[in-house]
Amino acid sequence: MRVPLSWLREYVDLPAGATGRDVQAKLVDAGLEVERVEQLGAGLKGPLVVGQVLTIEELEGFRKPIRFCTVDVGQANGTGEPQEIVCGARNFSVGDKVVVVLPGAVLPGDFAIASRKTYGKTSHGMICSGEELGMGDDGTHGIIVLPPEHEVGTDAIELLQLVDEVLDIAVTPDRGYCLSMRGVARETATAYGLPLRDPALLDVPAPNSYGYLVKIDDPAGCDRFTARTVTGLDPEAKSPIWLTRRLQKVGMRPISLAVDVTNYVMIELGQPLHAYDRSRLDGAIGVRRAEQGEKFTTLDGVKRTLDAEDLVITDNNGPIGLAGVMGGANTEIADSVTDPETGAVSGTTDVVIEAAHFDALTISRSARRHKLASEASKRFERGVDPQAASAAAQRTVDLLVLLAGGTAEAGVTELTAPGAPRTIAMRADHPDRVAGMDYGRETVVRRLQEVGCDVYGQDELVVTVPSWRPDLAEPNDLAEEVIRLEGYGNLPSTLPKLPSGRGLTARQELHRRVGRALAGAGYVEALCYPFIGEGVFDQLQLPAHDASRQVVQLVNPLSDEEPALRTTLLPGLLGALRRNDSRGSHDLALFETGSVFRAGPQPGVAVRLPVDRRPTAEEIATLNAALPAQPRYAAVVLAGAREQAGWWGKGRPADWADAVQAARSLAAEAGAELVVRQGQYGPWHPGRCAELLVTLNGVETVIGHAGELHPRVVKAMGLPARTSAMELDLDRLAAAGGGAVEAPRISTFPVATQDVALIVEASVPAADVEAALRKGAGELLESLRLFDVFTGDQVGAGKKSLAYALRFRAADRTLTAEESTAARDAAVALAGERTGAVLRGA
């Protein structure tokens, strides 16, 4: 929300010397996020005056149209003689009033103006456009043409209000009332302790039976609808300078008088409005839910297919507006058109003004569904004061009568659903208990009254919440209002006292070790959003019954395309890999450790914990029971080169083995024995997928997978060829570990190495052979490594040769050749018994 300081002063008598920075500091102390103060007209220096075009000479022989003009600037040039100016714009004529900057002036951007020779003529100044003066877009991109009533020689800096300060406020979702001058003025008045001149305090005629007919079929979606009619508007009437300048300062583009007035009142009071051309309306205005698949063209010219949850404004011909979001093209205010033969001017002369209050959730979902965020929807979804509708309609009527010569019809339509003011019961000392300091009842009552509440009672207060504060719903909200107005900076700072001897938990320690291990292996950590769309499961080729498809849906997602919490880390990591690859980084190794979310059989309902005392153990347990399971996972993705080529060698690409090795590294950090077997699951290539297992409670349990991704997954997700990935359940891995990892004991005795090559059936997993060798070798075995896999005629069809290096060592003696050989033979014998392995060459 952009707030011009000059406009703000109309509602609050700020100190004469108060600058935008001063107001910014006050509002920040009151809890508003004022991001910056923009200095409009900084560095601007006159003379900048109103001039009248006397003559225009078209210069020929140039690549673009050039005009040599004489302009009457009165005595502003010191001589009273016409000013000669060269200009390339075409949107003005002889007799028009324009803005002229004379030599010696300085325009925004430190652009100094001087007489100069150009296109064979000498130009003494410039005829200015709005963009050259820093006024913003007026829709014409041409020269400013002023209304004829302004006198030649008038100071244009003051006329156009070029010098001002504008506060840029980032309005949080719970402070929707600050998306208006009225709301910001109320906060400013409270911060300075000054009275507020409320622009919504207007004399509004009572509703009667002969206003424009309105029918509401969905009172839950629209609980208030005010309609007023103004006739006899001058179709040639233009928005005055003060109106267009205020709209430009708040970041809106002037369009036409009727539209500008509705936008102006929306900014002033916070109530979105819409003006319909009455001649284009057919019958009564209605409010209803759309029919599924119903078609409708909005003001931006886009034909939209409506959803059954959309709330629409209708007449006898169908929808004429998407309620609270955007009006329809079929009832748009028509621009004035002059008949070239008769000179008659046609355009909209009669308008029906809509000021309604719509359900915030309905409008928010419609805006997101149609990807149609508007100034109106931004306000409705944050909460609009329902009591301001009639005042906003009256303000619009008054301005149209004043500026366009219209006549307000006596009919006033106002439909309201039954309702009562919201009240909250609160102990008078509740803010004291929340803040940890003593405010006292008088301070609490005074501060609540300053935000518009009515307060009754002594020790037990009954607070009636003002209509413009839908965010005040419980005692804690009221306590927050007291605390922020008393000043967050005045809260006592008390550091928590922790018992000694606690530090990081084992889970936290493992998390850190895992991150260091992967970073040391050359992986880069990527922190991804925990949101996914369910379409990604199809891209990952997960079966329909897969547990990962059971997601936790968000009630109010940041994006409708990702409305659920993730059940796997891979979509986010693969998305990060794809983005980096598309931007020229082709050799990638990324990792992430984080929570995934598993939906329970029944969605839980979380309790709201108190803030004025420590929650009880039962309250915390109830809250945790309502939350979805959140196991911690670890995942890596790789693509491109794993080892770079150079003078040292050819390098090598990343492959499935690197993903498996990442899992082994994590198992080593957890002190767990990881079993790696050939597997087949979802996104991985069926022939290059490893199943990762650990033993939990005596049962082998799958905790993840690693390998190369399936080509169809790579294509569907736009990934580099041969992308590999690994994902495992870090919590289960830790549970299978032995706690803290002990440093290996270094023996002073020499190692005995024995190599064996075993022939097995091609279908036998190498992991089974390795497990048998470890078991059979006994306690003397220090390490076991598979260093070769061979297939061919030498080992026979359907067979493969697995070559292992076995290292034996004793902690108390030097092993003899007979001892190491016996251990090797025992290992080979058990491998033969369990897997049918035969010693190669035997």
Side-chain angles (χ1 to χ4, degrees):
M1 174 69 185
R2 290 170 56 86
V3 179
L5 195 60
S6 60
W7 194 352
L8 186 62
R9 288 183 182 275
E10 288 195 1
Y11 312 122
V12 184
D13 290 327
L14 296 173
T19 65
R21 296 289 184 189
D22 298 332
V23 178
Q24 177 188 30
K26 287 284 189 180
L27 293 179
V28 168
D29 287 343
L32 287 181
E33 297 180 17
V34 185
E35 295 186 330
R36 66 189 181 110
V37 178
E38 183 179 349
Q39 303 291 332
L40 298 184
L44 178 64
K45 176 185 175 184
L48 187 70
V49 299
V50 175
Q52 184 171 22
V53 180
L54 301 178
T55 65
I56 297 177
E57 177 187 352
E58 301 288 346
L59 301 182
E60 299 180 354
F62 300 103
R63 293 183 178 179
K64 62 179 182 179
I66 297 297
R67 311 168 97 186
F68 181 63
C69 310
T70 59
V71 185
D72 179 12
V73 294
Q75 297 299 317
N77 58 6
T79 65
E81 296 295 325
Q83 199 79 2
E84 296 180 341
I85 299 175
V86 175
C87 183
R90 315 290 296 176
N91 67 312
F92 64 95
S93 306
V94 172
D96 283 346
K97 299 286 182 67
V98 293
V99 178
V100 179
V101 56
L102 300 177
V106 180
L107 295 184
D110 199 25
F111 180 37
I113 302 300
S115 297
R116 63 190 183 96
K117 189 168 184 178
T118 179
Y119 296 103
K121 300 285 186 179
T122 300
S123 182
H124 302 280
M126 287 174 51
I127 301 176
C128 298
S129 68
E131 294 177 346
E132 290 166 339
L133 297 179
M135 294 171 57
D137 181 18
D138 62 357
T140 66
H141 301 287
I143 293 301
I144 300 171
V145 178
L146 300 170
E149 62 267 20
H150 297 292
E151 294 185 6
V152 169
T154 301
D155 183 5
I157 295 178
E158 181 178 352
L159 174 67
L160 298 177
Q161 306 171 25
L162 297 179
V163 179
D164 202 350
E165 294 181 280
V166 178
L167 283 68
D168 195 350
I169 304 176
V171 179
T172 52
D174 62 327
R175 306 289 286 277
Y177 66 97
C178 286
L179 288 172
S180 67
M181 293 299 302
R182 181 194 185 202
V184 176
R186 181 178 288 107
E187 290 293 319
T188 306
T190 303
Y192 274 94
L194 297 171
L196 168 71
R197 288 188 291 274
D198 190 345
L201 295 180
L202 300 174
D203 291 330
V204 179
N208 50 56
S209 60
Y210 42 94
Y212 199 92
L213 185 59
V214 175
K215 298 179 180 179
I216 299 178
D217 295 333
D218 191 339
C222 176
D223 59 6
R224 181 179 292 265
F225 197 109
T226 300
R228 299 290 299 275
T229 304
V230 181
T231 60
L233 299 178
D234 180 3
E236 291 186 291
K238 305 295 183 184
S239 299
I241 290 175
W242 65 266
L243 177 58
T244 59
R245 287 298 294 134
R246 286 188 171 181
L247 290 177
Q248 288 175 328
K249 288 178 184 180
V250 300
M252 303 187 76
R253 180 171 63 86
I255 298 174
S256 65
L257 178 58
V259 176
D260 292 348
V261 166
T262 58
N263 285 337
Y264 177 85
V265 176
M266 176 183 67
I267 296 297
E268 184 178 49
L269 301 181
Q271 168 67 54
L273 303 108
H274 190 71
Y276 300 97
D277 187 331
R278 192 169 75 166
S279 65
R280 299 185 177 188
L281 290 174
D282 183 6
I285 292 176
V287 183
R288 61 168 172 83
R289 298 286 172 168
E291 297 175 5
Q292 186 66 38
E294 195 171 10
K295 305 293 185 181
F296 166 64
T297 302
T298 46
L299 282 171
D300 56 1
V302 177
K303 190 172 184 179
R304 303 184 184 275
T305 301
L306 301 177
D307 186 90
E309 291 189 7
D310 290 329
L311 193 67
V312 292
I313 312 298
T314 65
D315 65 3
N316 291 340
N317 293 322
I320 59 173
L322 186 57
V325 181
M326 185 175 286
N330 50 350
T331 57
E332 182 180 8
I333 301 297
D335 295 330
S336 61
V337 178
T338 303
D339 190 310
E341 296 182 359
T342 64
V345 178
S346 61
T348 297
T349 58
D350 301 338
V351 297
V352 176
I353 299 159
E354 166 205 306
H357 185 262
F358 302 112
D359 174 60
L361 186 59
T362 297
I363 303 308
S364 176
R365 288 178 174 174
S366 287
R368 294 188 182 190
R369 186 180 299 115
H370 296 284
K371 297 180 174 60
L372 190 60
S374 65
E375 291 293 333
S377 67
K378 183 167 67 174
R379 286 163 173 80
F380 276 122
E381 66 187 17
R382 287 166 172 80
V384 169
D385 180 6
Q387 302 295 331
S390 57
Q394 182 62 45
R395 178 69 165 145
T396 305
V397 168
D398 293 342
L399 287 174
L400 288 176
V401 171
L402 174 67
L403 301 176
T407 301
E409 287 195 351
V412 177
T413 301
E414 188 165 335
L415 302 182
T416 58
R422 289 176 295 116
T423 59
I424 302 172
M426 180 184 74
R427 287 176 55 91
D429 63 349
H430 183 71
D432 301 4
R433 298 167 64 189
V434 173
M437 62 186 299
D438 186 15
Y439 291 122
R441 179 188 178 281
E442 291 185 2
T443 298
V444 170
V445 172
R446 175 172 56 86
R447 288 304 190 183
L448 292 178
Q449 288 174 339
E450 286 177 350
V451 300
C453 296
D454 292 329
V455 186
Y456 305 94
Q458 292 299 317
D459 294 338
E460 292 288 339
L461 302 180
V462 177
V463 182
T464 301
V465 176
S467 58
W468 58 84
R469 292 300 301 271
D471 59 305
L472 303 183
E474 61 175 35
N476 289 333
D477 299 328
L478 300 178
E480 181 183 4
E481 291 300 295
V482 175
I483 295 169
R484 75 175 181 90
L485 293 178
E486 283 294 304
Y488 292 122
N490 296 324
L491 291 175
S493 178
T494 305
L495 295 177
K497 296 180 181 179
L498 296 178
S500 61
R502 289 191 179 181
L504 298 177
T505 64
R507 190 172 189 252
Q508 292 168 331
E509 287 280 8
L510 177 60
H511 184 207
R512 291 194 176 187
R513 292 201 308 272
V514 163
R516 286 194 292 266
L518 291 175
Y523 291 86
V524 176
E525 185 172 18
L527 301 178
C528 305
Y529 285 117
F531 312 118
I532 58 172
E534 296 185 58
V536 75
F537 299 130
D538 295 329
Q539 294 179 323
L540 293 176
Q541 297 191 139
L542 297 184
H545 61 275
D546 194 279
S548 293
R549 288 183 176 268
Q550 305 303 313
V551 297
V552 178
Q553 293 283 349
L554 298 173
V555 174
N556 188 24
L558 293 178
S559 169
D560 289 337
E561 296 178 356
E562 295 180 329
L565 291 173
R566 67 188 179 189
T567 56
T568 167
L569 302 180
L570 289 181
L573 271 181
L574 293 173
L577 183 141
R578 180 179 61 249
R579 285 190 297 273
N580 281 275
D581 180 73
S582 68
R583 294 170 184 173
S585 297
H586 303 303
D587 304 324
L588 296 162
L590 307 177
F591 83 93
E592 183 178 14
T593 57
S595 298
V596 299
F597 305 85
R598 299 292 184 181
Q602 294 292 332
V605 179
V607 298
R608 302 191 68 174
L609 298 181
V611 296
D612 58 338
R613 61 174 173 81
R614 177 181 176 82
T616 65
E618 292 76 12
E619 288 173 330
I620 295 176
T622 302
L623 175 63
N624 288 333
L627 299 176
Q630 301 176 47
R632 185 176 293 275
Y633 274 36
V636 304
V637 293
L638 306 100
R642 185 67 176 133
E643 296 178 3
Q644 296 290 337
W647 57 266
W648 54 84
K650 296 181 179 180
R652 69 173 182 86
D655 61 17
W656 61 269
D658 295 298
V660 174
Q661 182 56 37
R664 294 185 187 277
S665 300
L666 301 192
E669 293 296 330
E673 183 177 347
L674 186 71
V675 178
V676 180
R677 292 185 181 147
Q678 184 174 1
Q680 185 171 345
Y681 177 68
W684 280 276
H685 191 297
R688 301 182 186 126
C689 174
E691 197 174 59
L692 309 175
L693 305 97
V694 295
T695 301
L696 290 172
N697 300 321
V699 179
E700 281 193 345
T701 305
V702 177
I703 64 167
H705 295 82
E708 182 180 318
L709 295 183
H710 197 290
R712 284 199 290 267
V713 174
V714 169
K715 181 179 180 180
M717 302 191 73
L719 302 171
R722 310 298 293 271
T723 296
S724 298
M726 180 278 294
E727 184 177 37
L728 56 76
D729 187 329
L730 203 55
D731 287 343
R732 288 189 176 184
L733 182 67
V741 179
E742 295 184 4
R745 300 179 65 182
I746 308 300
S747 174
T748 60
F749 296 96
V751 66
T753 302
Q754 297 274 359
D755 292 346
V756 295
L758 303 176
I759 298 176
V760 296
E761 296 291 333
S763 60
V764 175
D768 291 351
V769 178
E770 181 178 328
L773 289 173
R774 286 185 184 278
K775 182 70 174 178
E779 62 182 10
L780 294 179
L781 181 67
E782 181 181 77
S783 67
L784 173 68
R785 179 173 62 89
L786 174 66
F787 66 85
D788 184 58
V789 178
F790 176 77
T791 57
D793 295 337
Q794 294 91 329
V795 297
K799 306 282 187 178
K800 63 182 177 183
S801 171
L802 304 176
Y804 291 92
L806 290 78
R807 291 167 57 93
F808 299 97
R809 197 193 310 255
D812 57 349
R813 69 188 187 279
T814 299
L815 293 178
T816 64
E818 290 77 11
E819 288 178 305
S820 61
T821 300
R824 182 203 64 183
D825 292 344
V828 171
L830 187 59
E833 180 183 332
R834 288 188 175 182
T835 66
V838 176
L839 193 64
R840 187 173 176 182

